[in-house]
Amino acid sequence: MSSDTHELVIAGSGVAGLSAAVYAARADLDPLVLEGDEPGGQLTLTTDVENYLGFPEGVGGIELIQRGKEQAEQFGAEFQHDSIEAADLDGQPLELSLSTGETLRTRALIVATGASARWVGAEGEDELMGYGLSTCATCDGAFHRGDDVLVVGGGDSAMEEALFLAKFADSVTVVHRRDELRASEIMADRARDHKDIEFAWKTELVAIQGSQEDGVTGATLVSHPDGYPGEKYEAGEDVTVEEVDVSGVFYGIGHDPDTDFLQDTPIELDDDGYTQTTDADAWATTATAVNGVFTAGDVMDRDYQQAVTAAGTGSMAALDAEEWLEATTAASRDSARQISMEAGD
Ligand SMILES: Cc1cc2nc3c(=O)[nH]c(=O)nc-3n(C[C@H](O)[C@H](O)[C@H](O)COP(=O)(O)OP(=O)(O)OC[C@H]3O[C@@H](n4cnc5c(N)ncnc54)[C@H](O)[C@@H]3O)c2cc1C
């Protein structure tokens, strides 16, 4: 175990973690950023970001992240390529067990570990993610004006993606493995009633065609009258195979917040694993139920999940952590003074 106790450790090097690092480093908190398995986070999966304030021509996702890291390092933030595997948050200092076997001690922690979008497992998705394949219609929908696109999923996320895409695309086809939607009635009705949204029932996506130069050019769908055709296709059973010409594919099958290491701690998580803050209105504070632990970005925000909102809550978490550190330092100084006075020193 390292003998030093850090003032502040930031878990995650996506936009939220970087924004927290810039604020905390400028406040002389010497933050240590644990980069996790995906240094730079989700934005490194995308090509152009057109909706981040200050870049009228757009900016590459990787460039935005590199600039953020440079900015944080310039003010003194340190980065370590490591992940938290387990955390003991029952007392002070907080103890973090890392994937390399090291244990870190810190007074304050910002959890900015993001929420990974679920992927379907279709052939071609590794190469084409960010090149016509996306998990975020709000982010990438505007690149598909006049296109034919697919949305995969049957829940509220998929309906939201489809309705948003219908503003730009010529046609939106929702690909769903069953013949009924999991989405809420109101969202399902809105999507069903939209003139540009169609449904491919009992159908699954098994492959995406295209290249990083040309983007998505087509997709392979399989269907079966009993539903769940993907399993049958993989088992070599008879299914209908269809090639479709599309220029965009959007996954709308939800996100998994990266909070496994918090499962056995007093941090409150909702049913899906998103971190909960102490205020019912999550935007009022980034403080969690554990003193000294704050949370920011997609891991605490299931609704917006945008780079700019992640940066916003990242800065909030750093300011909240700074205030908490100052208050606890002042309180322990006062208590030491009191003890010394009582002892007649
Ligand atoms: C393909 C794609 C395109 C997108 N395009 C846009 C766009 O154009 N505009 C926009 O506003 N948003 C876009 N988004 C959404 C945006 O990327 C996210 O909202 C944003 O990245 C969230 O930032 P974050 O820091 O909260 O989390 P993330 O970016 O998910 O970063 C999480 C970080 O936590 C680390 N981590 C995870 N577990 C641990 C652990 N146990 N210990 C330590 N570290 C850990 C990871 O390695 C990673 O560094 C896009 C997302 C995707 C997937």
Side-chain angles (χ1 to χ4, degrees):
M1 182 189 298
S2 152
S3 55
D4 299 332
T5 297
H6 295 270
E7 282 293 279
L8 174 63
V9 168
I10 298 170
S13 56
V15 195
L18 291 177
S19 173
V22 168
Y23 272 70
R26 286 193 78 229
D28 288 339
L29 297 179
D30 301 326
L32 173 68
V33 182
L34 298 173
E35 296 187 282
D37 290 343
E38 193 181 30
Q42 295 172 62
L43 266 198
T44 59
L45 297 174
T46 194
T47 44
D48 295 320
V49 180
E50 287 193 329
N51 54 6
Y52 198 86
L53 193 69
F55 296 93
E57 311 298 332
V59 59
I62 293 177
E63 186 190 345
L64 186 64
I65 289 296
Q66 276 169 344
R67 281 170 172 246
K69 183 172 178 185
E70 212 176 295
Q71 194 176 354
E73 281 177 328
Q74 182 182 301
F75 293 118
E78 283 191 19
F79 286 76
Q80 183 169 328
H81 187 43
D82 218 333
S83 298
I84 303 178
E85 295 228 312
D88 180 351
L89 308 179
D90 288 327
Q92 272 286 337
L94 311 165
E95 279 191 9
L96 310 174
S97 308
L98 307 187
S99 48
T100 47
E102 188 185 348
T103 301
L104 287 183
R105 297 199 298 185
T106 181
R107 290 179 65 203
L109 169 70
I110 294 177
V111 176
T113 48
S116 314
R118 293 184 197 133
W119 291 24
V120 166
E123 198 185 312
E125 67 182 15
D126 285 339
E127 187 193 349
L128 293 170
M129 183 56 77
Y131 296 87
L133 170 62
S134 174
T135 56
C136 176
T138 316
C139 312
D140 297 328
F143 297 122
H144 292 280
R145 284 175 205 279
D147 286 352
D148 297 314
V149 301
L150 300 180
V151 171
V152 179
D156 277 345
S157 312
M159 297 310 108
E160 270 174 31
E161 303 265 295
L163 287 160
F164 188 82
L165 285 163
K167 295 180 193 173
F168 310 98
D170 235 21
S171 78
V172 179
T173 304
V174 177
V175 175
H176 186 42
R177 59 190 175 176
R178 300 190 298 143
D179 60 357
E180 63 190 69
L181 298 170
R182 232 180 337 101
S184 58
E185 207 51 46
I186 185 163
M187 292 301 292
D189 284 347
R190 272 190 211 152
R192 278 199 214 98
D193 293 346
H194 199 292
K195 68 176 179 35
D196 296 326
I197 301 179
E198 287 172 20
F199 287 82
W201 301 109
K202 299 178 180 177
T203 301
E204 279 181 84
L205 170 80
V206 290
I208 310 166
Q209 289 86 42
S211 66
Q212 295 193 348
E213 291 72 40
D214 300 331
V216 167
T217 54
T220 308
L221 304 179
V222 293
S223 56
H224 190 279
D226 295 340
Y228 297 96
E231 296 163 8
K232 299 177 177 71
Y233 175 73
E234 270 178 27
E237 291 176 35
D238 217 7
V239 294
T240 305
V241 180
E242 187 189 1
E243 305 291 342
V244 291
D245 288 338
V246 288
S247 317
V249 176
F250 287 79
Y251 288 170
I253 52 173
H255 289 77
D256 291 317
D258 292 317
T259 50
D260 281 357
F261 67 99
L262 296 174
Q263 294 293 344
D264 297 326
T265 71
I267 301 276
E268 287 175 18
L269 305 175
D270 74 6
D271 289 347
D272 293 322
Y274 285 89
T275 51
Q276 303 291 286
T277 56
T278 50
D279 198 298
D281 172 4
W283 296 93
T285 180
T286 62
T288 67
V290 175
N291 274 334
V293 182
F294 304 85
T295 184
D298 284 9
V299 74
M300 56 86 82
D301 160 30
R302 60 186 311 136
D303 295 323
Y304 299 98
Q305 301 200 326
Q306 294 294 294
V308 75
T309 48
T313 51
S315 68
M316 286 167 64
L319 292 168
D320 288 345
E322 183 190 359
E323 191 181 345
W324 181 86
L325 283 163
E326 265 175 24
T328 46
T329 305
S332 40
R333 211 174 28 233
D334 289 349
S335 127
R337 197 178 299 135
Q338 182 71 27
I339 292 167
S340 139
M341 275 163 56
E342 281 167 11
D345 293 347

